[in-house]
Amino acid sequence: MPAPKQTIRRSLLVTSAVLSSLALAAPAAVAAPKPSGSPSASASPSATPPASMSSVGGARLGRPGTQVNLASGVPVLPKDLSARSWIVADAESGEVLAAHNAHWRLAPASTLKMLFADTLLPKFPRDTKHKVVPSDLAGIGPGSSMVGIKEDETYTVHDLWLGVFLQSGNDAVHVLSAMNKGVENTVAEMNEHAEELQALDTHVVSPDGYDAEGQVSSAYDLTLIARSGMQKEDFREYASTVTAKFPGETKKGKKGKTVRKPFEIRNTNRLLAGDSDVPVYEGIAGVKNGNTTNAGATFTGVAERGGKVLLVTVMNPEKPEHNEVYKETARLFDWGFKAAGKVQPVGELVPPKGAEQAQPGANPSGEAGGSGDGGSGTAGTGSKPVAGASAADGSSGIGTALGITGGVLVLLAGAAFLVNRRWPLPDLVRRRTRP
């Protein structure tokens, strides 16, 4: 299916008439069926992609190898890419600018937590409290990344989501799953949501992304999932948080009084938080990284520069260099920003199945809070900018996407739509210099 041209770039006020006319004009997306048979095992995947893969988003995306329309004026792709699979897409129009084995079903690692968050975030107000019992932490895989949750301690939902997004805490995922009627129910809901998003390469076995037989996703699907997640104000906030305070263990102080001191946690997304060999990427605003034995390193990121908003997913670089997944992602972002507006797309990010059923006047921010709590679970209240919000329990950097010194701070506002023919994405319009 050829990717549509973006017809409306930005809009701060969208009337019901415009939304209605666009909904009527948009052609229905045609999703390819899931490949026959059970999903490929995540353990020891083949060294080469299948000869034929899903054609969701366009026939070329189902072909093995690199897909790009190089022409006069289009920059050449980076020559030093080693990832098994990657994709560069316009987050607003949904156009796929280039891809490599986009539908190859591979182990996703903790990038699967994007689907976990997109599925569960709307269910619980952020100020809901939960006391952890031993069964909440049962079944966590050995060697899992943990945020440091303790039994018999009480945490807010806000605390738990900070643990999921910043530290990729499998313990936080399991506690939230327990609140959601258990891991089995959560996995079923994640698979159902993946199908609704038309992420048909994805099969969930473990909600935290821990290596499990048959657990797979693809660069295409992870990009779809990230695009859906960025519709939610809370998701945008947590994904762009650099540091936060997390509740510690309750202990007795010197005078016999109980004290519970928080400790700092830091986002493991190196393009957002930086590292010794990876600078903070200018305009980065999330999303999620992962690393397991079977998956290798995986990453999906969103960044804005020069009025363009791109999504890039990179799966399993073969180069052994430290932080290679971030380095290859940064190079693909650089290419995408140079190529945007010049390169003809090779496919598109399809909308969810129910997108055409969206009603005018629906809440564009998609913030969490359940169905009956009057907004108590919103990421930021009222018209307060997301990036200006301070999290409870002394967290810092909530809702910010840090750029280099003197660079751009990108804020993902939930109060406005950006409208295109295929699917609206919240506008990315508010910018401030780094404090």
Side-chain angles (χ1 to χ4, degrees):
M1 178 185 297
K5 296 293 184 181
Q6 184 175 341
T7 59
I8 305 176
R9 286 282 309 163
R10 296 188 180 277
S11 175
L12 294 178
L13 182 62
V14 180
T15 64
S16 297
V18 172
L19 284 173
S20 299
S21 62
L22 286 172
L24 291 171
V30 179
K34 284 188 177 182
S36 59
S38 60
S40 302
S42 61
S44 303
S46 170
T48 57
S52 178
M53 295 173 280
S54 169
S55 60
V56 172
R60 289 188 63 176
L61 298 181
R63 301 173 188 171
T66 301
Q67 306 299 321
V68 63
N69 289 318
L70 293 179
S72 177
V74 177
V76 297
L77 287 165
K79 298 183 182 299
D80 50 355
L81 300 174
S82 67
R84 288 186 166 191
S85 177
W86 54 259
I87 192 169
V88 181
D90 187 311
E92 299 174 332
S93 70
E95 294 177 348
V96 176
L97 307 185
H100 180 76
N101 301 326
H103 281 291
W104 193 1
R105 305 174 94 181
L106 299 168
S110 285
T111 47
L112 195 65
K113 288 183 172 78
M114 294 188 296
L115 179 61
F116 174 78
D118 197 38
T119 304
L120 264 65
L121 257 173
K123 291 194 169 193
F124 307 108
R126 59 164 49 202
D127 56 359
T128 299
K129 294 181 179 180
H130 178 79
K131 186 175 181 179
V132 176
V133 298
S135 60
D136 293 347
L137 301 175
I140 299 176
S144 289
S145 54
M146 310 277 269
V147 68
I149 290 172
K150 303 296 183 183
E151 296 176 7
D152 299 321
E153 295 285 6
T154 298
Y155 301 86
T156 65
V157 165
H158 175 65
D159 295 328
L160 296 173
W161 283 119
L162 287 171
V164 170
F165 277 87
L166 274 68
Q167 291 286 286
S168 204
N170 288 6
D171 48 356
V173 169
H174 277 254
V175 173
L176 285 163
S177 296
M179 295 174 65
N180 191 50
K181 302 179 181 178
V183 168
E184 184 177 349
N185 178 67
T186 299
V187 166
E189 290 184 356
M190 289 172 67
N191 281 316
E192 182 179 349
H193 187 50
E195 186 172 350
E196 161 63 22
L197 295 178
Q198 302 200 63
L200 304 183
D201 299 323
T202 299
H203 180 71
V204 182
V205 177
S206 177
D208 50 22
Y210 193 84
D211 286 335
E213 186 73 16
Q215 182 155 275
V216 289
S217 190
S218 66
Y220 182 87
D221 280 14
L222 292 174
T223 307
L224 274 187
I225 292 163
R227 192 176 187 226
S228 176
M230 296 302 286
Q231 305 292 309
K232 297 175 174 61
E233 186 177 355
D234 282 2
F235 190 105
R236 297 193 298 272
E237 177 189 344
Y238 292 126
S240 60
T241 297
V242 180
T243 61
K245 296 294 184 181
F246 193 82
E249 189 174 4
T250 301
K251 298 180 179 179
K252 283 191 176 181
K254 294 180 179 179
K255 297 182 179 180
K257 293 183 178 181
T258 57
V259 294
R260 191 182 187 190
K261 293 183 178 180
F263 58 91
E264 185 175 275
I265 57 176
R266 189 173 182 83
N267 203 311
T268 54
N269 173 355
R270 303 307 186 196
L271 292 187
L272 182 68
D275 203 359
S276 58
D277 59 340
V278 178
V280 172
Y281 192 83
E282 183 180 353
I284 192 72
V287 174
K288 192 70 189 75
N289 57 307
N291 198 319
T292 65
T293 301
N294 292 340
T298 60
F299 180 66
T300 297
V302 62
E304 186 274 348
R305 188 180 294 176
K308 289 286 184 179
V309 186
L310 300 182
L311 281 162
V312 172
T313 296
V314 172
M315 300 187 75
N316 196 356
E318 296 180 353
K319 285 186 180 180
E321 281 81 355
H322 182 58
N323 286 330
E324 182 62 23
V325 72
Y326 303 107
K327 296 173 184 178
E328 296 194 15
T329 298
R331 290 194 287 271
L332 286 169
F333 267 130
D334 288 344
W335 176 85
F337 287 124
K338 293 177 183 176
K342 301 175 184 176
V343 66
Q344 290 296 313
V346 295
E348 66 169 340
L349 301 177
V350 296
K353 290 180 179 178
E356 66 276 8
Q357 299 171 4
Q359 296 297 315
N363 185 356
S365 61
E367 59 262 35
S371 58
D373 282 275
S376 60
T378 57
T381 57
S383 60
K384 185 176 183 180
V386 174
S390 295
D393 302 318
S395 63
S396 61
I398 295 298
T400 60
L402 297 185
I404 59 173
T405 300
V408 177
L409 181 108
V410 179
L411 307 185
L412 297 144
F417 277 96
L418 177 130
V419 180
N420 57 68
R421 277 177 47 198
R422 303 300 299 171
W423 192 35
L425 188 74
D427 201 9
L428 307 175
V429 296
R430 205 173 277 142
R431 301 175 181 85
R432 295 178 183 172
T433 56
R434 182 178 175 181

